[in-house]
Amino acid sequence: MLAHVLQGAWTVRREFPRLSSAQKEERIQAWALELLARLAIKLVVKGQPSLIGPVLLVANHISWLDIVVMHAARHCRFISKADVRHWPVVGTLATGADTLYIERGSSRDAMRVVHQMKQSLVQGDVLAVFPEGTTGDGTRVLPFHGNLLQAAISADAPAQPVALQFTDDATGAQSLAPCYVGDDTLVRSVWRTLCARHVVAEVHFGVPQHALGRDRRVWAVDLHMAVQSLRAGRALHGSKACATSVVQGG
């Protein structure tokens, strides 16, 4: 796994400057799929990810693995805290994947990022956010913050709810191995994931929906409900209906 991560950083530094956007996206998705394979994690994708942008993917947040899992299911540009840019190796990978960085706790920087997100959506990009603002233990979805949804409203772009879950392939029960929450350290979480067996990463894409006059706070509540319903396996009618399931091997 470590060799694959270092290889990815080398690829970003040496090869990405010569590649087109489409080629970069292909490399990133292939790299993410291979990392999951090396971790012996099976990827199951349900529903239909948006084939083209603009779209804002709105997902719950459980683990450091979430970004890898979503890249493996569908390439996207993430919004991440600014600290990640300076992390050894990880920062190189994140920047190579065209991550947009935000200074947490700064309303002025949040406005800058929302404007940058709007421009990216107008250009047809696929962006992804974790509106909980932090990781949870996976047993429930924390309330969504609506600030970054303003970008989709301003760009008149749809948001697609995405539900993430980690389960045990043998029992079907929730797997807590990849969790990264509370006092957990990244090293401990990675080691626990490496030691776990039969882990399945489930990504459930809902149906994209437009704001349709809702402000960001109301829309955040509705998207939160959509993600909860996807995790529970329930189909909602109308704009929150679940797409037909498709299963892929990891």
Side-chain angles (χ1 to χ4, degrees):
M1 186 194 74
L2 180 59
H4 186 62
V5 169
L6 294 175
Q7 177 66 32
W10 184 90
T11 299
V12 167
R13 288 185 177 277
R14 299 298 297 272
E15 297 184 20
F16 268 31
R18 303 192 301 270
L19 301 180
S20 66
S21 295
Q23 289 173 323
K24 290 179 183 178
E25 292 177 8
E26 183 180 347
R27 295 286 187 92
I28 291 168
Q29 187 171 24
W31 180 89
L33 284 166
E34 176 61 23
L35 182 59
L36 292 181
R38 294 188 182 215
L39 289 167
I41 293 177
K42 179 181 178 182
L43 174 67
V44 174
V45 179
K46 301 177 182 179
Q48 178 61 59
S50 296
L51 298 179
I52 58 174
V55 65
L56 180 65
L57 305 181
V58 178
N60 59 302
H61 200 11
I62 302 171
S63 169
W64 54 275
L65 260 179
D66 295 347
I67 292 175
V68 176
V69 169
M70 289 186 66
H71 271 318
R74 203 268 181 250
H75 177 270
C76 50
R77 297 181 67 189
F78 281 93
I79 287 75
S80 177
K81 61 182 181 180
D83 296 354
V84 172
R85 189 204 305 261
H86 306 293
W87 290 4
V89 183
V90 174
T92 299
L93 294 170
T95 301
D98 290 329
T99 298
L100 301 176
Y101 295 107
I102 181 172
E103 294 284 353
R104 285 188 177 177
S106 171
S107 57
R108 184 173 183 177
D109 197 59
M111 292 177 60
R112 176 192 65 81
V113 171
V114 167
H115 178 73
Q116 193 173 359
M117 289 172 62
K118 174 190 172 182
Q119 294 303 114
S120 295
L121 290 169
V122 168
Q123 294 168 10
D125 285 349
V126 178
L127 303 182
V129 296
F130 298 119
E132 290 168 290
T134 185
T135 52
D137 61 7
T139 60
R140 65 189 182 94
V141 183
L142 301 175
F144 282 1
H145 301 285
N147 292 346
L148 298 182
L149 295 178
Q150 185 61 47
I153 294 173
S154 299
D156 193 24
Q160 183 170 27
V162 183
L164 302 176
Q165 293 190 91
F166 293 98
T167 60
D168 187 306
D169 199 24
T171 65
Q174 179 183 349
S175 174
L176 298 177
C179 288
Y180 181 37
V181 64
D183 298 340
D184 236 346
T185 65
L186 180 59
V187 172
R188 184 185 304 160
S189 178
V190 170
W191 180 252
R192 193 169 54 240
T193 304
L194 286 168
C195 294
R197 302 179 64 184
H198 311 299
V199 176
V200 177
E202 298 182 8
V203 188
H204 198 162
F205 290 91
V207 173
Q209 53 178 273
H210 281 82
L212 299 178
R214 289 172 287 185
D215 64 28
R216 62 179 186 253
R217 293 179 180 83
V218 173
W219 201 13
V221 172
D222 290 345
L223 286 166
H224 182 270
M225 292 175 58
V227 170
Q228 284 185 311
S229 297
L230 290 172
R231 281 170 51 85
R234 299 192 303 270
L236 294 180
H237 298 290
S239 63
K240 303 186 188 89
C242 296
T244 302
S245 296
V246 178
V247 178
Q248 300 176 347

